[in-house]
């Protein structure tokens, strides 16, 4: 009996190792660049490290358009790259359409991205938080009340920075300061016709197969550069 149990334990361990390997190999990456060529199911981007060709046959395509903080209300699903801790400060904020609620939900490490809030435009280490905006009182603690929506609007009209509480998963949340200089954008539904040479792109890709398979392609509208 012990031999059988021991053998089962070894098999289970091997299975867990294999799953971990698959998970690690399937880790998604981010690619940023300018469209050089869009040809059917492939997209060629000029990036800081050279040209990258993405397979986009099954990728979701969205346009990135300007937005503003007064569009963020309680219940809005957002993504925000941040710098620092205690407090965390937004480098940018993306509003997701309702059809993309839950995309990348959680708090995790992100790439070094351009800091548009500092003026110089240098790249800084960042983290990403995707979640639902929750109401909060003027004193800061998270509360579930209609008053917070009014408070956010008042903060916006006053000009200056605002604080958002972003909730994710079962019990995770972060308080994030959004300075007035942070770019605020939104995703809108689009299709491959939006992928034109010269447009700026942010793409989430999977390189596990040895190819670059696009999962999400966000293209800036009218010359906008996706800030995430």
């Amino acid at each position: 009996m012990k031999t059988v149990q021991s053998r089962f334990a070894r098999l289970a361990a091997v299975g867990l190792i294999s799953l971990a390997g698959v998970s690690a190999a399937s880790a998604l990456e981010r690619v940023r660049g300018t469209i050089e060529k869009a040809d059917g199911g492939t997209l060629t981007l000029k990036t800081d490290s050279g040209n990258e060709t993405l397979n986009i046959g099954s990728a979701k395509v969205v346009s990135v358009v300007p937005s503003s903080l007064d569009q963020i209300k309680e219940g809005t699903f957002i993504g925000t790259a941040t710098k620092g801790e205690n407090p965390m400060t937004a480098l940018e904020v993306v509003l997701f359409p309702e059809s993309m609620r839950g995309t990348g939900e959680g708090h995790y490490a992100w790439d070094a991205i351009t800091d548009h809030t500092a003026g110089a435009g240098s790249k800084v280490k960042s983290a990403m938080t995707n979640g639902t905006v929750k109401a909060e009182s003027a004193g800061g603690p998270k509360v579930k009340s209609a008053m917070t929506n009014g408070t956010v609007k008042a903060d916006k009209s006053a000009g200056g920075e605002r604080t958002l509480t972003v909730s994710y998963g079962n019990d995770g949340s972060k308080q994030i300061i959004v300075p007035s200089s942070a770019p605020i954008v939104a995703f809108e539904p689009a299709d491959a016709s939006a992928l034109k040479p010269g447009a700026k792109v942010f793409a989430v890709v999977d390189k596990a197969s040895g190819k670059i398979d696009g999962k999400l392609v966000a293209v800036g509208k009218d010359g906008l550069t996706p800030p995430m």
Side-chain angles (χ1 to χ4, degrees), residues 142-179:
K142 182 174 68 174
V143 296
K144 294 183 177 179
S145 73
M147 182 178 69
T148 299
N149 279 345
T151 301
V152 170
K153 291 178 182 177
D155 286 346
K156 179 66 177 83
S157 64
E161 63 187 26
R162 282 79 68 196
T163 299
L164 300 177
T165 298
V166 182
S167 177
Y168 51 88
N170 293 327
D171 55 7
S173 68
K174 296 288 183 183
Q175 281 200 331
I176 298 169
I177 292 176
V178 185

Side-chain angles (χ1 to χ4, degrees), residues 178-201:
V178 185
S180 59
S181 54
I184 312 293
V185 298
F187 283 167
E188 290 185 348
D191 56 35
S193 65
L195 305 175
K196 300 177 180 179
K200 308 294 184 180
V201 163

Side-chain angles (χ1 to χ4, degrees), residues 1-14:
M1 183 67 175
K2 288 184 179 180
T3 301
V4 172
Q5 290 176 334
S6 176
R7 184 179 180 186
F8 179 79
R10 287 197 300 271
L11 289 172
V14 170

Side-chain angles (χ1 to χ4, degrees), residues 94-151:
V94 179
L95 284 68
F96 286 85
E98 189 60 30
S99 62
M100 294 181 69
R101 176 175 293 276
T103 300
E105 187 168 14
H107 175 76
Y108 38 86
W110 197 246
D111 307 333
I113 65 172
T114 302
D115 184 357
H116 297 283
T117 70
S122 59
K123 289 189 176 183
V124 296
K125 181 180 179 180
S126 69
M128 179 62 71
T129 305
N130 281 20
T132 302
V133 175
K134 294 296 184 181
E136 59 183 297
S137 69
K142 182 174 68 174
V143 296
K144 294 183 177 179
S145 73
M147 182 178 69
T148 299
N149 279 345
T151 301

